[in-house]
Amino acid sequence: MEKRIGVVGIVIENFDNTYKVNAILHDYSNIIVGRMGIPYRDRGIFIISLIVDGTTDEISSMTGKLGKVEGVNVKTALSKI
């Protein structure tokens, strides 16, 4: 299957579940090219942006697991090539 490059945005609203998010990201570290995390203390949320390079199945598997974590919102934009 062909690899695609994309951006994944993650917003964590429940601080208690950050360890779950980090565990999932660790499991998929082979497709993560770059990561930037910003704690937005004024709003009580954490924002993580990822650059990914993997198959659509790999990326979808990761974002699907992230989206199942309570208090976590995930959005993805992938290249068409």
Side-chain angles (χ1 to χ4, degrees), residues 7-28:
V7 178
V8 178
I10 306 165
V11 178
I12 305 170
E13 298 172 349
N14 184 345
F15 178 75
D16 294 336
N17 289 331
T18 55
Y19 74 94
K20 292 179 184 177
V21 171
N22 283 318
I24 294 167
L25 295 180
H26 176 75
D27 291 342
Y28 288 89

Side-chain angles (χ1 to χ4, degrees), residues 53-74:
D53 184 0
T55 66
T56 54
D57 288 347
E58 291 171 325
I59 297 168
S60 294
S61 176
M62 180 186 72
T63 57
K65 289 179 182 180
L66 288 167
K68 290 180 182 177
V69 178
E70 182 183 344
V72 174
N73 296 304
V74 182

Side-chain angles (χ1 to χ4, degrees), residues 17-60:
N17 289 331
T18 55
Y19 74 94
K20 292 179 184 177
V21 171
N22 283 318
I24 294 167
L25 295 180
H26 176 75
D27 291 342
Y28 288 89
S29 61
N30 60 312
I31 65 169
I32 297 173
V33 176
R35 171 183 172 165
M36 179 177 63
I38 306 289
Y40 193 178
R41 289 180 179 83
D42 292 345
R43 295 285 203 124
I45 61 173
F46 301 88
I47 303 164
I48 300 172
S49 60
L50 304 173
I51 305 300
V52 293
D53 184 0
T55 66
T56 54
D57 288 347
E58 291 171 325
I59 297 168
S60 294

